[in-house]
């Protein structure tokens, strides 16, 4: 239960980190918050020749508002994003989703970029990123490129980073003021990965009809998914309990994870429908509250 | 060999950090975890290793005031930071810190394996001076597992410690705290 030997590098600039990643490629791993990588090193499930610790790169730790986009550096701690009032105002879903990531002891170290790069299908931040149509910013030998979150996650624990690339930031579109956001999760114990989780961001017109609906689901397939069937069914419809329940039922058919040690496929389908229904319902309530408060 | 390799191609490093209020400098292997550094190099054996993969929370220490798993950090990553272990609270058993007193009074410790982590996490929880319900405390200490399952007493201990810290060592100030205790 001790990490193997590796060459430990702790660059203090993005340029140097990218240069190291370019030089060592597949033989290297980035160490961010260590909340997923350190267990893998301790258990010798990972055995990199080179460890590139990005914790000293101050440039990766910034949160900046750029017009309608909130850009969060890859090295920003999850607990910082969770409690920043400016973030809560710009993209409320983040503050609602992040408290479900492990425990505060993990979120004090765990980073935004690390969670995104790790690409766990049940993880909260990847689900939020896909729901919010966020963009992942990568930096490699060829320079900077941006990839839509829904294209970034390619499969189970797999992302589209090339061996010479780092995740340097995530760009979240600022949520329109009159929207309601919610995050609902079911896990067996507090702090565990979700068996199923759902994020929802909705807006309603004066007749309480859905004018926009974004729903993401985690834990039911190899990557976080957008519940497009549910979204399409609700647009233009009245935000009633019946309509939401009927639309949510459709997500059951898209659950692809079969029985595993945590849950049967049938139970996951049931949970998926339940969390989607609850997330949309809570987002509708949240939108109504936002309207009552006149913001 | 390039300059970068020269710079990083070493198996040990000299680290300087503050631990329990004192500056320490040691040469350590770069792959040494912070938990092993605290236990083996500094003899701070309150840092208990249960799982070594981030699940049990028994190795929790405060890093710049915030609780972290010391088994999931390298000692070299603590350079320039401030680490607190439970040894920082009181080395004298006749003059315990209010949180330690509260754990003793409420029977919040059984075998004691999780206790140093619980006490440190309690220090962080109570830093804002707010009162907390049972459910709130349960939520906030859920990151540390007590295999003796002393949870209700630990919750009582956290709340008792909160009263002591708000009201001075005697715990005998405002009625709010006394009512909560009597209830
Ligand atoms: C007890 C426990 C419970 C947890 N529960 C949850 C949970 O419920 N939900 C959840 O989402 N997570 C959970 N996690 C994991 C979460 O805490 C991690 O923070 C997260 O998965 C990884 O982020 P990190 O910054 O710690 O990355 P690290 O562990 O440092 O890295 C993770 C992976 O991403 C790569 N990587 C990191 N940063 C970059 C980058 N900038 N560019 C390219 N690659 C990079 C690393 O090389 C590594 O392969 C839990 C962890 C623990 C220990
Ligand atoms: S020993 Fe570190 S969390 Fe279990
Ligand atoms: S007192 Fe024994 S593990 Fe908690």
């Amino acid at each position: 239960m001790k990490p193997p030997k590796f060459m430990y590098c702790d660059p203090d600039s993005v340029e140097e980190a990218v240069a190291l990643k370019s030089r060592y490629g597949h033989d290297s791993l980035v160490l961010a918050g260590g909340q997923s990588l350190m267990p893998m090193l301790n258990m010798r499930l990972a055995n990199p020749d080179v460890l590139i610790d990005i914790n000293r790169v101050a440039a990766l730790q910034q949160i900046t508002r750029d017009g309608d986009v909130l850009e969060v550096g890859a090295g920003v701690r999850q607990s910082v994003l969770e409690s920043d009032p400016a973030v809560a105002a710009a993209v409320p879903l983040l503050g609602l989703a992040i408290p479900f990531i492990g425990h505060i002891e993990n979120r004090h170290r765990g980073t935004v970029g690390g969670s995104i790069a790790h690409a766990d299908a049940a993880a909260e931040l990847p689900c939020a990123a896909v729901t919010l149509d966020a963009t992942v910013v990568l930096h490699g030998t060829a320079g900077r490129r941006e990839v839509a979150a829904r294209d970034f996650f390619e499969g189970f624990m797999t992302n589209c980073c090339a061996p010479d690339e780092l995740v340097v930031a995530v760009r979240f579109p600022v949520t329109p003021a009159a929207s309601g956001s919610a995050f609902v999760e079911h896990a067996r114990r507090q702090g565990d990965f979700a068996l199923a989780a759902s994020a929802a961001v909705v807006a309603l017109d004066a007749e309480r009809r859905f004018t926009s609906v974004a729903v993401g689901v985690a834990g039911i397939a190899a990557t976080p998914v957008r519940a497009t069937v549910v979204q399409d069914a609700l647009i233009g419809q009245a935000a009633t309990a019946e309509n939401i329940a009927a639309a949510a039922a459709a997500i059951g058919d898209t659950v692809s994870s079969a029985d595993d040690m945590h849950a049967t496929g049938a139970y996951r389908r049931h949970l998926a429908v339940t969390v989607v229904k609850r997330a949309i319902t809570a987002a509708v309530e949240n939108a109504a509250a936002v309207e009552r408060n006149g913001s | 060999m390039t300059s970068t390799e020269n710079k990083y191609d070493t198996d040990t490093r000299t680290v300087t950090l503050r631990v329990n209020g004192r500056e320490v400098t040691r040469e350590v292997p770069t792959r040494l975890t912070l938990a092993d550094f605290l236990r083996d190099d500094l003899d701070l054996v309150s840092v208990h290793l249960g799982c070594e993969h981030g699940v049990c929370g028994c190795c929790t220490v405060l890093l710049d005031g915030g609780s972290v798993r010391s088994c999931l950090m390298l000692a070299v990553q603590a350079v320039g930071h401030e680490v607190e272990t439970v040894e920082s609270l009181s080395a004298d058993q006749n003059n315990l810190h209010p949180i330690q007193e509260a754990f003793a009074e409420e029977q919040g410790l059984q075998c004691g394996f999780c206790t140093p982590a619980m006490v440190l996490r309690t220090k962080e929880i109570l830093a804002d001076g707010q009162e907390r319900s049972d459910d709130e405390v349960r939520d906030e200490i859920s990151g540390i597992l007590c295999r003796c399952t002393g949870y209700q007493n630990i919750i009582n201990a956290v709340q008792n410690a909160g009263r002591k810290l708000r009201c001075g060592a005697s715990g005998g100030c405002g009625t709010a705290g006394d009512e909560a205790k009597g209830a």
Side-chain angles (χ1 to χ4, degrees), chain A residues 212-255:
Chain A
S212 75
V213 188
V215 180
V217 197
I220 64 164
T223 65
V225 290
R226 274 294 277 274
T228 33
V229 277
V230 181
Q231 297 171 181
D232 294 347
L234 286 175
I235 281 289
Q237 300 298 309
T240 61
E242 298 72 43
N243 285 345
I244 294 170
I251 196 67
D253 301 331
T254 60
V255 175

Side-chain angles (χ1 to χ4, degrees), chain B residues 91-108:
Chain B
D92 170 6
Q93 55 173 312
N94 296 315
N95 188 19
L96 292 176
H97 186 279
I99 300 174
Q100 295 169 306
E101 278 179 4
F103 270 75
E105 286 168 15
E106 304 289 345
Q107 310 288 341

Side-chain angles (χ1 to χ4, degrees), chain A residues 2-295:
Chain A
K2 306 295 172 195
K5 270 198 179 178
F6 40 71
M7 182 168 92
Y8 174 76
C9 309
D10 53 347
D12 52 21
S13 70
V14 174
E15 291 67 32
E16 197 190 343
V18 169
L20 287 162
K21 198 82 192 89
S22 310
R23 178 170 323 139
Y24 298 110
H26 280 304
D27 298 328
S28 66
L29 281 176
V30 173
L31 175 63
Q35 302 301 294
S36 296
L37 183 54
M38 283 296 295
M40 293 197 286
L41 291 171
N42 285 352
M43 293 190 278
R44 305 283 173 110
L45 295 172
N47 199 352
D49 291 339
V50 178
L51 203 58
I52 306 169
D53 179 352
I54 56 169
N55 285 281
R56 278 183 230 292
V57 185
L60 292 178
Q61 279 152 31
Q62 269 144 29
I63 304 177
T64 43
R65 175 86 179 253
D66 166 11
D68 285 343
V69 173
L70 185 78
E71 181 166 314
V72 181
V76 170
R77 305 283 175 207
Q78 293 152 8
S79 62
V80 168
L81 203 61
E82 171 180 358
S83 57
D84 184 327
V87 170
V91 189
L93 182 63
L94 293 173
L96 298 170
I98 293 174
F100 288 101
I101 304 176
H103 303 278
I104 189 70
E105 296 90 331
N106 307 112
R107 303 195 293 275
H108 274 327
R109 294 291 299 166
T111 65
V112 173
S115 177
I116 295 285
H118 195 58
D120 192 302
E124 292 79 6
L125 267 172
C127 179
V130 164
T131 309
L132 293 163
D133 286 323
T135 307
V136 182
V137 185
L138 303 175
H139 207 312
T141 323
R144 196 178 142 113
R145 68 179 175 119
E146 298 191 4
V147 182
R150 63 174 90 186
D151 300 325
F152 178 79
F153 303 107
E154 293 191 327
F156 187 69
M157 302 279 206
T158 320
N159 63 40
C160 74
C161 266
D164 70 339
E165 279 180 322
L166 291 174
V167 173
V168 291
V170 184
R171 288 169 64 80
F172 296 99
V174 169
T175 307
S179 316
S181 303
F183 195 91
V184 171
E185 159 164 337
H186 183 79
R188 286 203 303 190
R189 279 183 317 191
Q190 159 112 20
D192 281 4
F193 273 101
L195 290 176
S198 178
V201 183
V202 306
L204 308 172
D205 65 16
E207 277 78 51
R208 281 175 63 80
R209 288 174 198 282
F210 287 103
T211 54
S212 75
V213 188
V215 180
V217 197
I220 64 164
T223 65
V225 290
R226 274 294 277 274
T228 33
V229 277
V230 181
Q231 297 171 181
D232 294 347
L234 286 175
I235 281 289
Q237 300 298 309
T240 61
E242 298 72 43
N243 285 345
I244 294 170
I251 196 67
D253 301 331
T254 60
V255 175
S256 64
S257 40
D259 299 356
D260 60 30
M261 65 188 271
H262 303 295
T264 62
Y267 183 47
R268 272 219 164 78
R269 272 192 292 283
H270 167 76
L271 284 180
V273 173
T274 305
V275 291
V276 165
K277 189 170 69 185
R278 288 188 185 160
I280 299 170
T281 306
V284 166
E285 281 164 17
N286 184 232
V290 166
E291 202 169 312
R292 274 197 303 279
N293 295 336
S295 56

Side-chain angles (χ1 to χ4, degrees), chain B residues 9-174:
Chain B
D9 198 7
T10 112
D11 290 341
T12 64
R13 282 239 194 139
T14 302
V15 299
T16 298
L17 59 151
R18 287 184 74 78
V19 180
N20 295 340
R22 295 217 315 268
E23 190 174 283
V24 297
T25 299
R26 293 282 192 288
E27 175 149 339
V28 299
T30 50
R31 69 188 183 109
L32 184 73
T33 66
L34 177 62
D36 286 338
F37 172 68
L38 295 170
R39 284 183 63 85
D40 299 342
D41 291 49
L42 303 183
D43 215 20
L44 296 167
V45 292
S46 71
V47 180
H48 290 167
L49 288 168
C51 66
E52 291 184 79
H53 62 273
V55 175
C56 73
C58 290
C59 67
T60 296
V61 299
L62 299 182
L63 182 79
D64 301 327
S67 52
V68 300
R69 316 286 211 213
S70 61
C71 72
L72 299 188
M73 264 186 83
L74 297 170
V76 284
Q77 296 188 290
V79 169
H81 292 279
E82 168 109 43
V83 175
E84 275 174 86
T85 70
V86 90
E87 283 88 348
S88 69
L89 296 184
S90 171
D92 170 6
Q93 55 173 312
N94 296 315
N95 188 19
L96 292 176
H97 186 279
I99 300 174
Q100 295 169 306
E101 278 179 4
F103 270 75
E105 286 168 15
E106 304 289 345
Q107 310 288 341
L109 67 176
Q110 295 176 48
C111 79
F113 195 79
C114 70
T115 310
M118 292 285 187
V119 166
L120 288 170
R121 175 74 186 121
T122 301
K123 188 174 179 217
E124 183 191 18
I125 294 172
L126 296 178
D128 66 4
Q130 300 297 309
E131 275 185 61
R132 284 174 166 74
S133 68
D134 283 14
D135 279 350
E136 285 166 338
V137 176
R138 231 174 239 129
D139 181 51
E140 291 185 290
I141 59 164
S142 62
I144 303 163
L145 300 180
C146 176
R147 59 187 174 180
C148 297
T149 65
Y151 292 108
Q152 189 54 48
N153 292 348
I154 292 169
I155 291 159
N156 296 343
V158 174
Q159 290 167 332
N160 181 354
R163 287 191 294 273
K164 285 177 190 284
L165 290 174
R166 282 193 301 276
C167 311
S170 66
C173 70

